[in-house]
Amino acid sequence: MSSRPVKKALGFLRSGRVLVGAALVGIVLFSALFAPILAPHDPQEQNLVATLVPPVWSVDGDPTYLLGTDSLGRDVLSRLLHGARVAMTVAVLASLGAMLVGATLAHLGGYFGGKLDWLIGRAVDVWMSFPPVVLSLVLMTGLGAGISSVILAIVLVDWTRFCRVLRAEVLVTRHQDYVAAARLVGFSHWRTLTREILPATLPLLITLLSIEMGIAVIVEAILSFVGMSVGANQSAWGQMIADARQTIYESGWNLLLPMLAIFFTVLGFNLLGDGLRRTLDPRLLQAREL
Amino acid sequence: MNTSVLAAENLAVESRLREGRRLPVLAGISFTLEAGKVLGLVGESGAGKSMIGRAVAQLLPPGFAVAGGALAFAGRDLVGMATQERRALLGREIAFIPQEPLSALNPVMTIGAQFGEHLARLGISSEARQREEARAMLEAVHLPRATELLRQFPHELSGGMCQRVLIAMAFASKPKLVIADEPTTALDATIQARIIALMDEMRHAYGASLLFITHDLRLAANFCDEILVLYAGRAVEKGEARELLSAPLHPYTRCLQLAVPSLSAPARELFTLPGEMPGLTTLQTLAGCRFAPRCPNAGEICRKEEPKLLAAAQGGEAACFRTELTLKIKTGDQAAPAMPKITAPLLLVEKIQKRYRSRHGLFGKTEVLAIDEVSFALAENEFVGVVGESGSGKSTLAKLIIGLEPPSAGRIELCGSDALDRSETARRRRIETAQMVFQDPQSALNPRRRVASIVTQVLEAAAPRLPPDERKRRAAELLAEVGLSAELAARYPSQLSGGQKQRVNIARALCAAPKLLIADEIVSGLDVSVQAQLIALLRRLRSELSFALLFISHDLAVVRKLCERVLVMRHGKVVEQGNTKDVFGAPQHPYTRELLAASGG
């Protein structure tokens, strides 16, 4: 009897999307955490004798540089691994920040309604009418380059995504009788919000968080591509793409490898998010049980 | 010549599960519906009555299929029929009247467009003729201003009007057979009576046979020629309608009959059937008669062998070994409720009003007076009923008293203190004094909490640091009080039946030991046997715990059963109030009389 809800809670592990997504994200996360140990070279170490070495599987490959070197003779594998650190830092911190701002406002607005809700709703409307890329570039110009600015810019641009979607979910839950019942048995607003409403919106929150992490990876890549993210002494995937642009005809792999890294990371987050949505959303759950 | 319109012979429907397992849902269902007659299929939810209607339409839900037996329409086999041929029959010779009139109509098409589409399918292609035919049909179902109606959208019509439109559409093809699946369940009592009368008139005018699916035995007995009673996928009794109601052969039918409160008969105890209908999976392990575990007459043989539907000496058929005992099931006369001592009023409502503003367009504004100068008092330990049709303001009244919404004007006093005081201490006091039981148990229970946690929510709010053991103990106490077994404490609401959910709902409200309980339609939408159990529960709790009850219901018979005093509401006003006996015995207001006539049956 008690095993059923447990099985239900762990049901998401059976979904193929979640498994593949989690595996991809897990690999990237692992690389990021252990980059200093895993990387065979210092990512900034230049070897001007061995520039543009192709990956090891090509004819001219060199086993010391498994994925080859770039135009300055830096080891591509090491740079990719260290790039994952930047990507993951931004992904986790920026999406958590955006979630915190967006979800808080969504819950307050949706729960209390009235003037507060109106105010938050209009703020979201105005905010969303700016093109996001332009907005983040403007913000970056104001904040100056650097990884913390990238995080702040993403938080400031993307909180609206959480706010709008979650507010609708809060509204639906708010009108359930059990929320009114909780107030009637004496729950404070805070307790009602955290014990009755938040558990109902949590699945959506987790899903949005996962998707937002993928978006954050792309935004970070764009900003480091135009040189507004980390400095030249650190490696980031967008920066690697920008560098490899000049030698695209000599060494296509230099361009392709960071692109593949971005692609699989974002794919992983999206699969994870989509899979979680399918397994955690109670409405979809009910439809399947019928 | 064969006069049977619809004949089922040993019909069986099964559910096919993923692992290749098959569960029989219906088995051995046989009946014949003669031309021009009405056959009632009666049973509680889960009995399988709707499955029969769906089998005729071949609209079984996914995973269900006809497993055996025959189903014939006018001598033609419906089960093996080619899709093409069946499609030609459905909607033409076999018509349907659905349960939810509003969701059966397309909200974005006018009535005229939908009617026209239906008539086009019937072969009337010219639009002018479609309009003419539609108008004639709408007039036949006594809808006024038919021409205007054709240009309106479904949301502009009331539920009763929508149902009339659907009846008009069903009869437009002059069908031989009309299948009505709970056509009046979603409607108010007064409208229900009119719709039944209309269906009767239409079937006579068009010479159609009717398959009437309902959970209401009394309604079926009044309207049908013959009745088939279903229990857990088996036919348990078949017979001539009036005889079946007056002298049932099967104990289940008898229990159904005794579980429904009556408006006219002398007050007697309702029969409470223990437990509930077993689910599909438990049924498989059950040997013998499916009703045996709940049957008051069950004997040795009932638990071993499954009875067959056999003709009884006095006419009718029943699947029971001990039919001679059935009429011995009796309930005692109801002890007159001890009239409560009228003390200082617990609840005092004075001239409250509730206005809702609705805005349309930029400047348009309309005001709706949902509650209009309602005043009444409620003494300690008194049970007061509030009756009226939907839209009469009953539920709004409950919300105002409990404080979910503020009234626009007027005064509400609880235990002598102002209930409209917004301060935190006043709120605390109100929580300890008054509690509410919500209408929809589905929405009223947080699906993510376990039962034990739901029923002790009051403790969670009042003393968040209470040790878990203490809470568990209180939860067990409350569950015992409302007659639920302690093992349910660890379940989630989705694992409970409707009746169990409503008991949990009541237990939560009782946790604070309130002096006033407000119950909003808590027995509507439940099966009669469950309804009788809940009424018995409220009466027992009253003697054990002593609290006052404001019982909101559209069911007059239930209110008569439970309450000493009654308020009759219409359009936000109390049109009549007084002792239940006086109001129902000698109604003064014409509206009360109308309500009584409609639900008298």
Side-chain angles (χ1 to χ4, degrees):
Chain A
M1 189 180 73
S2 60
S3 74
R4 219 173 73 111
V6 175
K7 238 192 253 166
K8 212 191 247 172
L10 294 176
F12 65 87
L13 283 181
R14 283 200 303 265
S15 148
R17 279 164 213 268
V18 175
L19 282 181
V20 174
L24 284 172
V25 170
I27 291 169
V28 179
L29 204 63
F30 182 80
S31 319
L33 283 174
F34 299 103
I37 303 163
L38 292 172
H41 299 269
D42 182 337
Q44 305 307 330
E45 179 193 279
Q46 302 183 1
N47 183 351
L48 294 173
V49 189
T51 58
L52 296 178
V53 174
V56 70
W57 55 83
S58 324
V59 195
D60 307 326
D62 180 347
T64 28
Y65 302 110
L66 284 176
L67 294 178
T69 59
D70 66 1
S71 55
L72 291 173
R74 293 175 295 195
D75 180 40
V76 171
L77 177 62
S78 306
R79 287 180 69 76
L80 278 179
L81 291 173
H82 280 269
R85 274 182 105 96
V86 175
M88 285 318 230
T89 311
V90 172
V92 171
L93 292 180
S95 45
L96 278 177
M99 181 205 78
L100 216 63
V101 177
T104 307
L105 290 176
H107 280 82
L108 291 178
Y111 179 75
F112 289 108
K115 288 223 169 62
L116 182 69
D117 188 34
W118 185 88
L119 209 67
I120 294 171
R122 294 299 81 73
V124 171
D125 285 344
V126 171
W127 215 267
M128 282 187 118
S129 54
F130 288 110
V133 175
V134 175
L135 183 59
S136 51
L137 285 175
V138 169
L139 278 170
M140 287 306 290
T141 321
L143 296 166
I147 193 164
S148 49
S149 308
V150 172
I151 292 169
L152 194 58
I154 295 175
V155 171
L156 288 177
V157 172
D158 275 352
W159 66 271
T160 51
R161 206 190 298 272
F162 283 91
C163 192
R164 177 162 283 192
V165 178
L166 278 172
R167 180 186 163 269
E169 191 78 4
V170 173
L171 273 186
V172 171
T173 315
R174 169 101 186 82
H175 288 113
Q176 296 286 316
D177 283 342
Y178 68 76
V179 176
R183 285 289 293 158
L184 287 183
V185 298
F187 274 31
S188 60
H189 285 304
W190 170 250
R191 190 172 276 274
T192 312
L193 258 173
T194 51
R195 300 292 162 88
E196 304 290 313
I197 293 190
L198 192 62
T201 52
L202 204 59
L204 184 64
L205 198 81
I206 292 170
T207 305
L208 285 176
L209 191 66
S210 174
I211 292 170
E212 178 64 28
M213 287 186 180
I215 294 169
V217 168
I218 293 183
V219 173
E220 193 278 325
I222 292 173
L223 290 175
S224 63
F225 182 82
V226 296
M228 301 193 87
S229 177
V230 290
N233 56 344
Q234 263 184 300
S235 55
W237 292 343
Q239 205 182 44
M240 290 174 74
I241 295 175
D243 287 348
R245 239 178 355 155
Q246 277 117 34
T247 56
I248 182 167
Y249 297 111
E250 292 93 328
S251 171
W253 284 109
N254 273 351
L255 189 71
L256 213 56
L257 286 168
M259 277 165 71
L260 285 175
I262 294 169
F263 171 77
F264 280 111
T265 309
V266 175
L267 180 72
F269 279 124
N270 282 355
L271 283 178
L272 190 64
D274 197 34
L276 286 177
R277 184 181 64 81
R278 280 160 190 263
T279 42
L280 295 180
D281 193 326
R283 280 165 299 183
L284 290 169
L285 212 67
Q286 273 161 8
R288 218 166 2 141
E289 273 175 0
L290 275 178
Chain B
M1 211 190 96
N2 191 353
T3 58
S4 95
V5 171
L6 185 69
E9 187 65 47
N10 259 330
L11 183 70
V13 173
E14 63 181 18
S15 152
R16 291 177 182 162
L17 299 174
R18 241 172 302 164
E19 300 90 33
R21 274 168 55 216
R22 294 169 174 211
L23 293 178
V25 178
L26 282 174
I29 304 290
S30 303
F31 60 83
T32 319
L33 175 56
E34 305 285 330
K37 298 275 182 186
V38 182
L39 173 69
L41 295 178
V42 179
E44 295 182 273
S45 47
K49 54 190 190 306
S50 290
M51 283 294 163
I52 296 179
R54 282 163 165 254
V56 174
Q58 290 289 299
L59 273 176
L60 289 170
F64 289 81
V66 174
L71 190 63
F73 170 72
R76 293 151 80 186
D77 175 35
L78 274 173
V79 179
M81 189 179 275
T83 320
Q84 208 67 35
E85 198 181 342
R86 192 169 49 231
R87 209 170 279 163
L89 280 181
L90 296 179
R92 290 193 180 86
E93 303 209 17
I94 304 176
F96 297 88
I97 301 172
Q99 174 169 6
E100 293 277 348
L102 266 174
S103 55
L105 289 167
N106 186 340
V108 297
M109 278 168 77
T110 59
I111 301 294
Q114 293 182 60
F115 218 125
E117 210 172 55
H118 179 60
L119 291 172
R121 263 203 63 203
L122 299 177
I124 302 175
S125 48
S126 111
E127 274 193 33
R129 278 203 48 216
Q130 281 176 10
R131 251 198 314 277
E132 206 170 297
E133 178 72 23
R135 199 170 50 227
M137 284 310 296
L138 290 182
E139 272 159 14
V141 294
H142 310 296
L143 278 168
R145 298 177 290 110
T147 323
E148 215 171 293
L149 205 68
L150 286 174
R151 281 196 298 270
Q152 283 181 314
F153 287 93
H155 69 265
E156 298 173 276
L157 275 57
S158 70
M161 285 165 90
C162 283
Q163 197 59 289
R164 276 171 198 266
V165 170
L166 286 162
I167 291 173
M169 281 166 83
F171 281 95
S173 56
K174 302 185 175 55
K176 285 203 183 102
L177 171 66
V178 175
I179 296 173
D181 190 351
E182 304 261 12
T184 58
T185 311
L187 303 173
D188 280 321
T190 45
I191 297 162
Q192 187 173 344
R194 284 180 221 143
I195 293 287
I196 293 287
L198 174 71
M199 288 202 305
D200 202 37
E201 178 193 331
M202 292 296 279
R203 86 176 171 91
H204 277 298
Y206 287 82
S209 309
L210 200 68
L211 189 65
F212 185 67
I213 300 169
T214 181
H215 66 277
D216 190 337
L217 182 64
R218 203 172 296 269
L219 183 69
N222 279 323
F223 179 48
C224 303
D225 299 301
E226 223 189 351
I227 289 180
L228 185 69
V229 181
L230 296 168
Y231 182 81
R234 296 281 194 280
V236 293
E237 181 164 1
K238 185 159 83 174
E240 201 273 320
R242 277 173 197 284
E243 248 160 58
L244 188 136
L245 183 68
S246 57
L249 291 169
H250 196 279
Y252 176 61
T253 321
R254 176 72 175 165
C255 294
L256 274 187
Q257 180 203 18
L258 293 178
V260 186
S262 149
L263 269 174
S264 45
R268 53 166 174 73
E269 290 293 336
L270 292 184
F271 186 79
T272 42
L273 205 51
E276 45 200 32
M277 197 182 320
L280 277 183
T281 8
T282 27
L283 274 179
Q284 303 316 306
T285 57
L286 205 65
C289 177
R290 300 191 153 201
F291 187 58
R294 301 172 74 191
C295 183
N297 289 347
E300 197 70 24
I301 184 167
C302 304
R303 296 197 179 84
K304 287 197 193 114
E305 256 179 83
E306 192 168 343
K308 294 210 162 44
L309 197 64
L310 293 173
Q314 59 270 54
E317 295 169 36
C320 181
F321 295 115
R322 326 176 83 185
T323 45
E324 69 281 358
L325 291 178
T326 297
L327 283 178
K328 301 224 169 85
I329 304 174
K330 283 221 169 73
T331 53
D333 288 339
Q334 179 176 331
M339 264 317 225
K341 283 192 297 264
I342 302 298
T343 50
L346 178 67
L347 170 74
L348 192 71
V349 175
E350 248 179 43
K351 291 195 174 170
I352 53 165
Q353 275 192 351
K354 181 69 187 174
R355 236 175 269 121
Y356 287 111
R357 277 192 196 92
S358 65
R359 234 188 267 192
H360 36 87
L362 263 183
F363 305 106
K365 249 189 209 171
T366 39
E367 278 201 346
V368 183
L369 211 53
I371 297 285
D372 189 5
E373 301 233 327
V374 168
S375 306
F376 67 92
L378 193 76
E380 270 177 39
N381 206 12
E382 189 181 26
F383 276 27
V384 172
V386 180
V387 297
E389 291 180 26
S390 47
S392 59
K394 298 177 308 225
S395 292
T396 312
L397 184 66
K399 280 186 195 151
L400 296 183
I401 293 172
I402 202 75
L404 281 175
E405 281 178 34
S408 314
R411 248 159 54 82
I412 300 176
E413 262 181 27
L414 255 175
C415 275
S417 57
D418 185 11
L420 301 176
D421 190 348
R422 292 270 119 197
S423 72
E424 193 56 32
T425 41
R427 190 171 99 90
R428 290 262 151 239
R429 208 169 39 230
R430 198 168 62 220
I431 287 160
E432 282 158 24
T433 318
Q435 278 296 325
M436 177 154 171
V437 184
F438 286 85
Q439 173 172 14
D440 178 8
Q442 189 71 36
S443 149
L445 304 178
N446 187 341
R448 289 167 193 82
R449 277 175 184 269
R450 290 175 195 271
V451 167
S453 152
I454 290 174
V455 294
T456 52
Q457 268 185 306
V458 170
L459 296 181
E460 187 180 328
R465 268 178 260 290
L466 201 70
D469 281 351
E470 193 76 359
R471 259 185 96 169
K472 258 187 208 145
R473 205 181 46 74
R474 180 72 178 129
E477 253 173 50
L478 283 164
L479 288 182
E481 224 154 60
V482 297
L484 287 175
S485 73
E487 63 177 280
L488 295 185
R491 291 210 194 167
Y492 287 97
S494 60
Q495 297 166 306
L496 304 178
S497 71
Q500 286 172 333
K501 278 184 198 159
Q502 208 54 286
R503 280 168 194 259
V504 170
N505 222 340
I506 293 172
R508 169 174 56 192
L510 290 178
C511 185
K515 289 193 179 129
L516 169 65
L517 207 59
I518 297 177
D520 187 3
E521 297 273 12
I522 59 167
V523 297
S524 60
L526 295 174
D527 284 321
V528 286
S529 65
V530 181
Q531 182 178 311
Q533 286 172 359
L534 282 174
I535 293 173
L537 172 70
L538 285 173
R539 290 167 60 89
R540 179 170 63 77
L541 288 173
R542 177 188 200 175
S543 59
E544 286 171 13
L545 302 173
S546 119
F547 54 86
L549 177 74
L550 189 68
F551 186 81
I552 294 165
S553 176
H554 67 271
D555 191 332
L556 276 67
V558 172
V559 169
R560 176 181 184 243
K561 190 84 231 157
L562 202 58
C563 305
E564 295 96 54
R565 228 147 50 78
V566 63
L567 311 176
V568 184
M569 284 192 73
R570 186 188 200 192
H571 300 324
K573 280 196 172 90
V574 173
V575 295
E576 186 165 357
Q577 58 174 311
N579 288 337
T580 313
K581 219 181 285 168
D582 304 337
V583 172
F584 288 175
Q588 300 301 310
H589 196 275
Y591 179 68
T592 317
R593 260 175 249 146
E594 193 186 340
L595 267 183
L596 279 166
S599 41

